[in-house]
Amino acid sequence: MKLLILGGTAWLGHEVARQAVDRGHDVTCLARGESGSTPEGASLIQSDRDKDEGLEPVATLQWDAVLDVSRQPGQVKRAVRDLRTARYYLFVSSGNAYASQGPLGQDEDAPLLPPLESDVMETMESYGQAKVACEQAVIEGFGSENCMIARVGLIGGPGDIFGRTGYWPLRFANPSVAKGTVLIPNAPALPTQVIDVRDLAAWLVHSCEKQLSGVYNAMGETQTFEEHIAAARAAARHEGQVVTADAEWLHSHGVGEWAGPKSLPLWLSNPVWHGMNARSNKRAKDAGLALRPLEETLNATLKWEEEAGIDRPRRAGLTNEEEVELLTELVSIKH
């Protein structure tokens, strides 16, 4: 298969390119080349997709499949325009495209946000609308029978520079206090849903090979936060104490949710967001998506985190100093 990846140097695109090369495909990546390198065996064409002529180097070639991970509607519209001779187009969208993130168990037929009218997504606040606009451009340009839309959930595994899936196994493996005590939010029933980047990439390559059409929720299995924490502790072989804090107390002490500085990753206290991590993935699994156990993902993520450096600046979680301060006050209150 002659596969064109629009991207291929960042986390997911790089993993797709690596696996496609390993499966014997002829892989070309078109990217600015600023996010990293392409895997060995893949070709890189450096170009800027924000320019109207950005796809000229690949537009006259014949592609069996094109895989696109863009979030910018203008980039996708130009790709659809310039790559019409490709046999197949796979667009990697997002669960953020859905209009509501509250209800549990929604499938691919749930209502979407209105598409972004602009060709340029200026801020992440319009990320979902931008992905909807990208989806529509692909379907209109290639026809529903010659393209696939993969709405992806939270991606985890080795290489997670965002820290959302690496924080918990790393924290349990490297507690901030000598006794091994770790602080977690009191949210045992909160849904969590993580797909391993390696499983996602394997299925995307498979979908290009089979030229699967349709819309799919490419997401992991939904598990409770309690189950996720248990898997993280098992991966880290943690035997220390776990101390819980309620949402009101955490918010009053400036602790954030989901990601970002001074946060507890994956935690979402408002039920209006709980459905984001509890979407149906049945259609994708029926179409060949294979998912490894969560503990295996967290094991590999922990190993990657430790190799990358446990003291490096992080994009999610509490610093040791922040957790010690919170634990000191919380434990004294509870005692």
Side-chain angles (χ1 to χ4, degrees), residues 152-275:
V152 177
L154 177 63
I155 305 173
D160 181 7
I161 60 172
F162 305 101
R164 290 171 294 195
T165 58
Y167 175 79
W168 290 113
L170 184 64
R171 171 56 72 205
F172 285 118
N174 300 272
S176 62
V177 295
K179 290 183 179 180
T181 305
V182 172
L183 173 66
I184 68 169
N186 184 18
L190 170 71
T192 67
Q193 192 171 28
V194 175
I195 185 166
D196 192 297
V197 65
R198 298 165 294 177
D199 296 338
L200 175 57
W203 185 64
L204 293 176
V205 175
H206 166 80
S207 299
C208 288
E209 292 169 345
K210 301 297 183 182
Q211 308 232 321
L212 297 180
S213 61
V215 180
Y216 300 87
N217 286 335
M219 303 177 182
E221 302 289 14
T222 296
Q223 297 178 273
T224 65
F225 186 74
E226 184 175 50
E227 291 170 333
H228 189 101
I229 290 298
R233 293 186 72 192
R237 296 178 174 82
H238 178 258
E239 296 181 352
Q241 183 182 8
V242 174
V243 174
T244 62
D246 292 334
E248 183 178 0
W249 189 90
L250 291 168
H251 288 148
S252 70
H253 287 74
V255 179
E257 302 180 16
W258 188 244
K262 197 177 181 180
S263 67
L264 289 174
L266 308 188
W267 171 46
L268 293 166
S269 64
N270 191 336
V272 74
W273 293 105
H274 288 185

Side-chain angles (χ1 to χ4, degrees), residues 157-162 299-309 312:
D160 181 7
I161 60 172
F162 305 101
N299 261 313
T301 310
L302 174 59
K303 181 180 179 182
W304 176 83
E305 287 276 6
E306 292 175 335
E307 290 174 350
R312 64 187 172 86

Side-chain angles (χ1 to χ4, degrees), residues 44-256:
L44 173 64
I45 296 177
Q46 288 186 280
S47 189
D48 186 352
R49 292 183 65 188
D50 285 332
K51 297 179 178 179
D52 189 64
E53 70 279 9
L55 291 172
E56 280 186 1
V58 295
T60 59
L61 304 176
Q62 182 62 52
W63 304 101
D64 294 308
V66 175
L67 186 140
D68 192 353
V69 298
S70 179
R71 64 182 63 174
Q72 295 292 355
Q75 290 185 353
V76 176
K77 290 173 184 177
R78 286 188 290 274
V80 170
R81 177 196 70 190
D82 294 344
L83 299 171
R84 287 190 180 278
T85 58
R87 293 176 56 203
Y88 176 79
Y89 203 107
L90 194 161
F91 181 69
V92 179
S93 188
S94 167
N96 292 85
Y98 290 107
S100 175
Q101 302 293 343
L104 309 184
Q106 289 190 105
D107 64 14
E108 293 83 353
D109 297 325
L112 301 178
L113 291 167
L116 186 68
E117 295 183 3
S118 171
D119 280 351
V120 179
M121 184 195 80
E122 300 285 357
T123 70
M124 287 301 292
E125 291 181 2
S126 58
Y127 177 67
Q129 293 95 324
K131 282 291 194 180
V132 174
C134 293
E135 289 185 16
Q136 290 187 356
V138 172
I139 294 171
E140 290 171 4
F142 275 81
S144 58
E145 68 281 2
N146 296 315
C147 69
M148 183 179 115
I149 306 297
R151 294 186 185 133
V152 177
L154 177 63
I155 305 173
D160 181 7
I161 60 172
F162 305 101
R164 290 171 294 195
T165 58
Y167 175 79
W168 290 113
L170 184 64
R171 171 56 72 205
F172 285 118
N174 300 272
S176 62
V177 295
K179 290 183 179 180
T181 305
V182 172
L183 173 66
I184 68 169
N186 184 18
L190 170 71
T192 67
Q193 192 171 28
V194 175
I195 185 166
D196 192 297
V197 65
R198 298 165 294 177
D199 296 338
L200 175 57
W203 185 64
L204 293 176
V205 175
H206 166 80
S207 299
C208 288
E209 292 169 345
K210 301 297 183 182
Q211 308 232 321
L212 297 180
S213 61
V215 180
Y216 300 87
N217 286 335
M219 303 177 182
E221 302 289 14
T222 296
Q223 297 178 273
T224 65
F225 186 74
E226 184 175 50
E227 291 170 333
H228 189 101
I229 290 298
R233 293 186 72 192
R237 296 178 174 82
H238 178 258
E239 296 181 352
Q241 183 182 8
V242 174
V243 174
T244 62
D246 292 334
E248 183 178 0
W249 189 90
L250 291 168
H251 288 148
S252 70
H253 287 74
V255 179

Side-chain angles (χ1 to χ4, degrees), residues 5 18-19 139 182 195 326 331:
I5 299 176
R18 185 190 68 79
Q19 293 202 32
I139 294 171
V182 172
I195 185 166
L326 292 166
V331 171

